[in-house]
Amino acid sequence: MKTDTAHLAWNDRWATPHGRADWLTPEPDVASFAARLAARGALKVLDLGCGVGRHALAYARLGLNVTAVDMAEQGLSELHRASREEDLAIATQVAAMTELPFETGSFDHVLSFNVIYHGDPLIVRAAVAEIARVLKPGGSYQGTMLSKRNVKYGKGEEVAPNTFVEAAVDPDDSDKVHPHFYCNAAELVELFAQFELLSLIDQEHAKPDSWHWHMLAERR
């Protein structure tokens, strides 16, 4: 899920096998924690910004009760197709990360991988508040945020504090034409004040200097 009109660009990407190719395999740390969740029983899990559903499918294969949301309908269509092929039950809904259509305390776990930093500080704070709202007390959260060590920090137009928009030069990098919010560790801890951090690692992704915070946290 991306904010504003970003989901339109992702709809185009999810519509082709080439566009989906890099988004089909679950991230190792997500898969590892999913196994820990499954060991606790049939927990209710929300995949917020599910894309084409790589993590939602991984959760469902482990017997978890999965709900997946995104703003890009093409991604949800791909998830429907894949879940039908595997006979997996996954509830899906088009929803914005700042207005989740669920009751307070609905989920035991929320995942949001490479999603909630797409926006200015107000949007990011609203998304974090919604995650906290829909989680049960003691529920877990796993997600990523952009680190200020990331090579893209400071590039392009600063549209809000620590928020930059950079024109895409690669047709396959349409995500870059949308706002990206960056933070350091202290700012991240403040942003997630309603959570107890369990793990926080500044991790480089596939591209050089593509630093992202990987975090695990528990709702207070």
Side-chain angles (χ1 to χ4, degrees):
M1 176 179 66
K2 307 293 184 266
T3 57
D4 300 325
T5 60
H7 63 283
L8 300 177
W10 287 91
N11 263 331
D12 292 341
R13 177 175 290 188
W14 301 148
T16 68
H18 173 71
R20 297 190 295 268
D22 291 336
W23 304 90
L24 300 177
T25 304
E27 295 293 326
D29 51 347
V30 176
S32 176
F33 194 72
R36 291 169 58 184
L37 289 170
R40 293 166 50 194
L43 302 182
K44 293 187 67 176
V45 174
L46 174 64
D47 185 355
L48 194 171
C50 64
V52 293
R54 55 179 175 157
H55 296 126
L57 291 165
Y59 286 140
R61 291 176 191 128
L62 291 171
L64 296 166
N65 183 334
V66 185
T67 298
V69 300
D70 205 287
M71 285 291 286
E73 294 186 34
Q74 185 65 45
L76 295 176
S77 294
E78 285 300 315
L79 173 54
H80 276 302
R81 181 192 58 76
S83 63
R84 285 196 301 268
E85 286 183 356
E86 297 189 45
D87 195 23
L88 297 171
I90 299 175
T92 62
Q93 193 162 346
V94 175
M97 64 186 179
T98 54
E99 296 180 80
L100 296 175
F102 308 112
E103 294 183 2
T104 298
S106 294
F107 297 98
D108 300 290
H109 178 72
V110 174
L111 170 74
S112 193
F113 201 92
N114 291 355
V115 175
I116 66 170
Y117 53 68
H118 289 90
D120 62 28
L122 291 177
I123 290 172
V124 174
R125 286 186 180 277
V128 173
E130 277 293 270
I131 292 167
R133 183 185 67 78
V134 301
L135 266 175
K136 297 175 182 178
S140 54
Y141 170 71
Q142 185 171 25
T144 59
M145 295 291 292
L146 282 171
S147 168
K148 285 185 174 180
R149 293 179 64 203
N150 191 295
V151 70
K152 297 292 186 179
Y153 176 65
K155 302 287 183 63
E157 179 186 1
E158 187 171 18
V159 296
N162 298 320
T163 308
F164 297 86
V165 175
E166 183 181 8
V169 295
D170 181 348
D172 290 331
D173 208 13
S174 56
D175 175 57
K176 293 295 175 283
V177 301
H178 307 291
H180 287 70
F181 172 81
Y182 300 77
C183 60
N184 59 30
E187 291 161 342
L188 187 150
V189 169
E190 189 276 330
L191 184 64
F192 284 86
Q194 297 183 73
F195 294 80
E196 183 71 27
L197 287 182
L198 305 177
S199 174
L200 183 61
I201 301 171
D202 201 2
Q203 185 169 313
E204 192 176 30
H205 284 192
K207 295 181 180 179
D209 295 320
S210 57
W211 297 97
H212 288 62
W213 293 111
H214 284 229
M215 63 179 293
L216 280 171
E218 185 175 278
R219 177 71 166 94
R220 289 187 173 133

